[in-house]
Amino acid sequence: MYYDFVLGGFVLINILIVEDEAPISNLIRLSLAKEGYRCTCAFDGLEAADYLEKNQYDLIVLDVMLPEIDGFELMDYIRPLEIPVIFLTAKSSVQDRVKGLKLGAEDYIVKPFEVIELLARIDVVLRRYKKGDMMLEIGDLKIDTASMQVWRDGQEISLTKTEYDLLLLFVRNPRRAMYRETIYEQVWGEEYPFGSKAVDLHIQRLRKKVGWENCLRAINKVGYRLEVET
Ligand code: CA
């Protein structure tokens, strides 16, 4: 038996995905849904405007190149609604990125992108807007991502910032084999220095603090995987 999220006090975040390419739209929707976000997909600007008229959204992932109304034109419609926007732009177009930011987008991401990067950016933007606040319960741990506090069986655990970031990375990617390099880049925010033992050392300490000696499993030649028993 492995872990399951208990969504106690979980605040549902509504995200509108505006992207005309179905495979990309699906990939984003599935990845976000897996993180607990509620998603709506619009496949052109007009459909997006329609959804925006009828529903409340906490964040919009907006492709620039769209049929009917493009992403930039749609910004005129979105701005008064004060919903944070992350643009999806083509790799070649620096001008598009600058234009998107000038039009009031919170951030942009360049295609092709790694889903994990999009998730990280969404997380940052939601936190900036104080919308990502939520309580997570996993195994015997309770995590308040707003106050960054962690409890085990009701007892608060004191973690360093690095340990907390590590914990959240695993909690958000349960049962997924995580490469040492990926873990390092996600938590330290820089390229993995070859042969670094930083990840292993911090995971050792995190395991002890949260009592996850048997849950945070080392995977030979890869990295780690979280397997929380319930
Ligand atoms: Ca497009």
Side-chain angles (χ1 to χ4, degrees):
M1 281 291 286
Y2 297 127
Y3 108 103
D4 241 321
F5 270 119
V6 180
L7 302 177
F10 190 93
V11 183
L12 265 184
I13 302 280
N14 286 303
I15 297 183
L16 179 64
I17 302 161
V18 191
E19 164 64 80
D20 57 314
E21 290 169 79
I24 301 178
S25 175
N26 278 334
L27 174 71
I28 298 173
R29 179 178 55 82
L30 290 172
S31 313
L32 295 185
K34 216 168 147 194
E35 295 291 311
Y37 297 115
R38 190 159 39 180
C39 303
T40 306
C41 296
F43 295 92
D44 64 56
L46 285 175
E47 196 185 4
D50 217 17
Y51 279 127
L52 286 163
E53 208 180 356
K54 291 171 190 150
N55 304 289
Q56 292 274 337
Y57 296 98
D58 300 295
L59 186 140
I60 303 169
V61 176
L62 180 58
D63 188 23
V64 173
M65 299 291 283
L66 291 168
E68 310 294 339
I69 304 173
D70 74 19
F72 292 143
E73 292 174 285
L74 200 62
M75 273 309 281
D76 290 337
Y77 192 88
I78 294 168
R79 214 176 304 109
L81 302 172
E82 296 184 338
I83 304 169
V85 171
I86 297 178
F87 262 120
L88 302 177
T89 65
K91 192 167 193 170
S92 52
S93 184
V94 178
Q95 281 172 325
D96 274 6
R97 283 178 252 163
V98 173
K99 190 174 173 187
L101 292 173
K102 278 191 177 164
L103 283 173
E106 280 297 320
D107 207 347
Y108 63 84
I109 194 156
V110 177
K111 289 179 178 179
F113 54 87
E114 293 285 331
V115 163
I116 199 161
E117 194 194 348
L118 177 62
L119 290 173
R121 283 169 192 265
I122 286 174
D123 198 47
V124 168
V125 170
L126 287 174
R127 257 186 282 154
R128 200 180 295 151
Y129 276 73
K130 303 228 182 299
K131 289 184 173 181
D133 303 354
M134 55 181 79
M135 295 293 290
L136 300 172
E137 286 191 29
I138 182 164
D140 50 6
L141 291 189
K142 200 170 180 177
I143 304 165
D144 183 340
T145 60
S147 64
M148 294 168 77
Q149 284 174 292
V150 180
W151 297 267
R152 185 185 181 206
D153 293 330
Q155 202 77 354
E156 191 175 348
I157 300 168
S158 162
L159 298 179
T160 64
K161 175 73 171 62
T162 304
E163 288 161 354
Y164 175 82
D165 290 346
L166 266 175
L167 177 65
L168 223 56
L169 181 67
F170 282 105
V171 166
R172 287 184 170 156
N173 297 278
R175 279 173 292 182
R176 196 180 296 173
M178 305 279 287
Y179 281 92
R180 230 175 232 96
E181 290 84 346
T182 310
I183 297 169
Y184 190 91
E185 284 168 20
Q186 287 295 313
V187 172
W188 277 263
E190 49 193 72
E191 211 175 305
Y192 176 71
F194 183 75
S196 167
K197 289 273 174 267
V199 170
D200 308 86
L201 289 172
H202 282 83
I203 284 181
Q204 265 180 42
R205 257 178 296 195
L206 175 65
R207 270 179 181 151
K208 271 190 200 150
K209 282 191 181 179
V210 300
W212 277 4
E213 284 90 345
N214 299 318
C215 305
L216 268 173
R217 298 258 172 92
I219 313 167
N220 196 21
K221 290 182 179 151
V222 175
Y224 293 88
R225 182 175 59 228
L226 174 61
E227 296 173 4
V228 173
E229 290 164 24
T230 52

